[in-house]
Amino acid sequence: EWDVDVAVTGSQKGLMLPAGLGLVCARPKAIKIATTPGAANLPRVFFSWVDYMNNNELGYFPYTPSIPLLFGLREALDMLVKEEGVENVWKRHKRLAEGVRRAVAAWGLRLCANNPDEYSDTVTVIRVPDGFDAQKVVQIAYQKYNLSLGSGLMKVRGKVFRIGTLGDVNELMVLGTLAGAEMAMVDVGIPIKLGSGVAAAAEFYRKTSVPSRGLGNIQAAKI
């Protein structure tokens, strides 16, 4: 369906686990190439798919696995697939990210992505005005408010900071992050109005959030 031969992810991303697990999903075409001698002119030492497949058939690993991470992976998959449902996870990420984007608009700032078709629902990258150092925003947020914002990387280092909405995140977590980001930006002199972004995001979340904790068919607007 995706026309992807090999998909790779890490446990620290949407699976909400510490770093340490690499997960690979390969279609039959890729497996055939990997298991046919000479089909792929690539050296294989530590991470040979053949080693893993031969051992997995018996319920084992070729090397010592991180058992705690595997237990955590089982629980994460239950949360995402069985309890919430993948489609609902995607919708939640989209809703949370849209709230952050509305906060950025209320601040009068710009996103790194200019085209709405390129907006990410997992992380929002915010440009600081010219003359300000985004690294100072990240530093103050952490040192003063115990909030970890993402830094800009490579060419945009010092020009942007990042707010993530991926994983086990809800509306109140995002609103707290927006409040901390606002305070840090004001501390470095960026001319935004305290509470403006939080208010914009809160209003959007209030209108769009779906009851999910034993409220049955009660509508959010009636709570």
Side-chain angles (χ1 to χ4, degrees), residues 121-197:
D121 292 332
T122 61
V123 62
T124 301
V125 185
I126 300 122
R127 303 187 191 194
V128 298
D130 292 340
F132 292 95
D133 185 359
Q135 289 299 105
K136 290 290 185 181
V137 177
V138 174
Q139 180 182 17
I140 289 176
Y142 179 73
Q143 294 180 346
K144 192 173 180 180
Y145 304 115
N146 195 28
L147 171 65
S148 292
L149 298 172
S151 298
L153 304 175
M154 301 178 71
K155 291 183 178 181
V156 294
R157 183 174 179 83
K159 299 179 180 179
V160 304
F161 66 91
R162 296 174 288 138
I163 294 178
T165 46
L166 177 67
D168 188 20
V169 183
N170 61 36
E171 293 85 354
L172 297 184
M173 293 178 185
V174 177
L175 291 173
T177 299
L178 293 173
E182 286 185 347
M183 292 188 290
M185 285 191 286
V186 170
D187 286 346
V188 302
I190 296 176
I192 66 166
K193 181 181 179 181
L194 277 177
S196 58

Side-chain angles (χ1 to χ4, degrees), residues 65-169:
S66 175
I67 298 299
L69 282 178
L70 291 176
F71 278 119
L73 177 61
R74 179 69 275 161
E75 178 61 25
L77 291 174
D78 285 344
M79 292 171 62
L80 295 170
V81 179
K82 291 184 179 180
E83 297 174 15
E84 187 173 7
V86 174
E87 295 285 345
N88 291 328
V89 171
W90 293 340
K91 291 176 182 177
R92 173 169 53 83
H93 287 158
K94 185 176 184 64
R95 188 175 68 251
L96 295 178
E98 178 60 26
V100 175
R101 291 190 284 264
R102 294 190 180 212
V104 175
W107 292 334
L109 302 181
R110 297 169 56 202
L111 299 174
C112 187
N114 292 320
N115 187 345
D117 291 338
E118 298 173 348
Y119 289 168
S120 169
D121 292 332
T122 61
V123 62
T124 301
V125 185
I126 300 122
R127 303 187 191 194
V128 298
D130 292 340
F132 292 95
D133 185 359
Q135 289 299 105
K136 290 290 185 181
V137 177
V138 174
Q139 180 182 17
I140 289 176
Y142 179 73
Q143 294 180 346
K144 192 173 180 180
Y145 304 115
N146 195 28
L147 171 65
S148 292
L149 298 172
S151 298
L153 304 175
M154 301 178 71
K155 291 183 178 181
V156 294
R157 183 174 179 83
K159 299 179 180 179
V160 304
F161 66 91
R162 296 174 288 138
I163 294 178
T165 46
L166 177 67
D168 188 20
V169 183

